Amino acid sequence: MLDSLQREAFCSKKKETRTIFIGPPGAGKGTQSPKVQDEYCLCHLATGDMLRAAVAAKTDMGLKAKSIMDAGELVPDDVVVGIVSEAIEAPACKKGFILDGFPRTTVQAQKLDEILATKGVAIDKVINLQIDDKMLIRRVLGRWIHPGSGRSYNVFSSPPKVPGQDDVTGEPLTRRSDDTVDKLRSRLKAFHKQTQPVIDHYERAGKTVTIDAKQDKNIISDMIRKALGDPDA
Ligand code: AMP
């Protein structure tokens, strides 16, 4: 683990990178983000995690979002645009960011483009993790998460060493309340209807790189690195 001064020196050499990881639930956005975040010195902004934190803290926003999230539908655009526009200002985002689960509608994508344009910057690459719906059921239903770190396991394909416990800390793992068959169906419906146009939006701008997300996770990491380019260039 690098101490903060070493980390600052390591990060000062990195190029700025602004990227979006897009794909249906279970495509591997959360699995790929930590490695890229460390290597490129980016902040990882997952709107689903931020909304779940607001629900757990019972903030006004959390209370309003809860029933929408429970139904597997999308919370209003202005809510998530507000969260992201504030979050990207954080010092941890100085070298750029990975947006995970945002934008999910064309309105969100247009607002994001506008916000970045006012700062004279833009999205560099959109990593489209593409996978068939039928492969997602096992991934999503087998998913267990360590809430403290975001580490995720799958009881079918990559189980923890001790069932129900995080490998690193030994702390209990949890499941997401929307990782059920019914809710996955609604979430996939929202993805195809509302988020596919976002992929098309960035495809038209020549920014989308599509990766086959059923491959081994290390191969996917290499392909993402190739798409984003050398972080020290
Ligand atoms: P996720 O963790 O990305 O699967 O998100 C969980 C839930 O949070 C989604 O099913 C939506 O209800 C909500 N959510 C997360 N990100 C967004 C977004 N960009 N726009 C609207 N709703 C979102």
Side-chain angles (χ1 to χ4, degrees):
M1 182 68 90
L2 297 173
D3 71 26
S4 61
L5 280 177
Q6 281 175 314
R7 178 98 197 137
E8 213 175 295
F10 171 78
C11 288
S12 68
K13 301 188 194 99
K14 303 289 170 186
K15 69 172 184 187
E16 292 186 16
T17 304
R18 294 173 188 82
T19 182
I20 297 169
F21 286 7
I22 206 164
K29 305 183 292 294
T31 302
Q32 292 296 332
S33 294
K35 294 185 209 167
V36 176
Q37 173 184 15
D38 281 352
E39 199 178 338
Y40 288 75
C41 292
L42 308 177
C43 64
H44 172 215
L45 304 176
T47 42
D49 290 346
M50 293 168 170
L51 288 164
R52 277 185 290 279
V55 171
K58 296 195 166 67
T59 64
D60 281 353
M61 189 209 337
L63 293 173
K64 282 184 202 136
K66 186 175 185 317
S67 57
I68 303 173
M69 294 171 74
D70 281 346
E73 290 164 8
L74 297 186
V75 305
D77 291 329
D78 55 339
V79 173
V80 276
V81 169
I83 297 177
V84 171
S85 62
E86 199 183 315
I88 58 175
E89 298 297 335
C93 304
K94 205 165 107 192
K95 288 290 175 181
F97 48 72
I98 301 168
L99 295 176
D100 164 352
F102 178 94
R104 258 176 157 101
T105 66
T106 38
V107 171
Q108 292 176 20
Q110 281 156 359
K111 295 268 183 222
L112 174 67
D113 293 348
E114 282 167 27
I115 292 166
L116 296 179
T118 63
K119 301 174 192 297
V121 295
I123 292 296
D124 300 302
K125 279 280 174 313
V126 175
I127 306 294
N128 174 27
L129 296 173
Q130 192 179 56
I131 184 160
D132 268 6
D133 286 4
K134 58 179 183 300
M135 298 207 60
L136 297 171
I137 297 177
R138 258 167 73 94
R139 286 193 179 199
V140 167
L141 298 187
R143 175 153 72 179
W144 284 78
I145 296 162
H146 175 238
S149 65
R151 263 185 295 282
S152 79
Y153 299 86
N154 189 292
V155 289
F156 306 120
S157 54
S158 52
K161 290 183 193 134
V162 179
Q165 282 184 22
D166 178 43
D167 287 353
V168 179
T169 62
E171 288 167 352
L173 301 176
T174 57
R175 298 208 61 214
R176 280 176 50 168
S177 61
D178 57 353
D179 278 350
T180 64
V181 175
D182 280 0
K183 288 173 188 174
L184 177 61
R185 205 169 285 133
S186 320
R187 289 158 69 202
L188 285 173
K189 204 166 141 204
F191 176 79
H192 291 299
K193 187 160 172 243
Q194 286 156 285
T195 309
Q196 182 59 46
V198 176
I199 298 172
D200 303 339
H201 169 89
Y202 288 111
E203 186 109 57
R204 281 193 295 277
K207 296 188 173 182
T208 302
V209 175
T210 297
I211 295 177
D212 176 358
K214 66 177 181 306
Q215 302 177 92
D216 176 84
K217 59 184 176 210
N218 294 320
I219 295 177
I220 297 174
S221 301
D222 288 344
M223 293 177 87
I224 293 177
R225 247 180 245 123
K226 198 168 156 218
L228 296 181
D230 184 352
D232 298 304

